[in-house]
Amino acid sequence: YVFIDLIYGIFFLTVTALIFNFFLKLHSPIVLLFYLLVFLFGLKKFFIESLNNIKNKITFIILLSFLPSFMLAGYDSGLYHIPFQTWIQNEKIIIGLSNLNLRFGITSIFSYASALMWFENTFLFVSYFSTCFYLILFLFINEYLSKSYQKFIFGLTILISFPLWSRYIFPSHSLIDAKFGILVIILITILASNFKIWILEKKIIKEDILFVGTLFFLIFTFKASGILFFPLLIFLVIHLIKIKKLSILITPLIFFCFLIIVWSIKSFLITGCFYYPVSISCVEVSWFSIENLNYINEQISTYAKSSFEIINFYNVLFNNLSLLYILIIPLIIYLIINQLRYIKNFLKKNKLLIFLIL
């Protein structure tokens, strides 16, 4: 599936940028040269192996390519997203950085990839990078959910309900709510659709575990609320051990545990907490501020409640119709083109039958 390749690409980009920042500023020549070489290698691999896989998805890509021209920075980009990215562009990791801006502690791993893609207040490439998440959503529906009408209707429901889990915010290149929601929807859908095979029939392979692990890692590191999915992860790990799949679990488990440790060390160095703003993970070091922690938790709680309080009929029908149009119209156009292609192929194969009917 192309959408899986894209998710792995985002995973690679964010994780490597995170690790680089422990030792180097992200706009150092060494880092930029590394990603240039990766890009050239990936481009060669794309033309050799992947070009044929996306030919029938070109409609999605062309239609969504217009989305970056409408993207804005987002309402809190200047509050902490862009300032944090400016710091990591020009400095390696700084101990106690959250004391300069208490919201630096809740920045996403997405910021590490975004910081690589803008220079001198030009954010076009960040917009294209953000558009990849919407492309992933469409490809997920097309490649994974279109195998049956039931799954496809579920996919349409995801699109129609999109504003609910993106907090009615127009697509922007800094806000991560929609991106986080897309990853969560994919994870839950894949687990639900494979429940019978993976859980009941006990048929699961290492590639499945790696992909699910990648989704969990991105969810944990995109938003602090991703920790709410931790009990689900524990359940899956215990189940795999119970059905004697430890041999295929051990390598992915060690790999993702290592990455979580890296993320936790980053969080600790910046805030004094291993998973900010979870208070139980905090340590009384000199750069830790209990006042900042309490304030952030209070603000998160208040904003989570107010987000639902402001949702009303007017918002649903009028203020956010543009968001629904942007998401649904490309899919409708794609479906029409696909149906025309199907009808054309049917007519070619059944010329004699049509002649006899006429």
Side-chain angles (χ1 to χ4, degrees), residues 5-45:
D5 292 337
L6 288 173
I7 290 174
Y8 277 137
I10 291 169
F11 170 77
F12 172 81
L13 190 61
T14 53
V15 168
T16 51
L18 169 67
I19 293 173
F20 267 128
N21 194 234
F22 276 90
F23 311 102
L24 298 165
K25 61 181 183 179
L26 291 185
H27 276 194
S28 73
I30 295 174
V31 175
L32 296 178
L33 178 61
F34 170 79
Y35 286 110
L36 176 62
L37 293 175
V38 168
F39 172 76
L40 294 175
F41 175 79
L43 198 63
K44 179 182 177 182
K45 181 179 175 64

Side-chain angles (χ1 to χ4, degrees), residues 82-141:
I82 292 175
F84 178 78
Q85 291 171 30
T86 302
W87 275 104
I88 61 178
Q89 282 178 347
N90 296 285
E91 300 288 341
K92 64 181 181 180
I93 194 168
I94 298 174
I95 296 176
L97 184 61
S98 63
N99 289 300
L100 297 179
N101 185 325
L102 52 86
R103 287 177 174 81
F104 283 172
I106 55 172
T107 50
S108 166
I109 198 171
F110 178 78
S111 289
Y112 285 85
S114 295
L116 297 167
M117 299 184 186
W118 64 271
F119 300 83
E120 299 180 356
N121 297 324
T122 301
F123 296 94
L124 182 61
F125 290 116
V126 185
S127 297
Y128 277 109
F129 181 50
S130 297
T131 303
C132 286
F133 287 85
Y134 297 94
L135 179 60
I136 286 169
L137 175 63
F138 283 122
L139 291 177
F140 174 65
I141 293 171

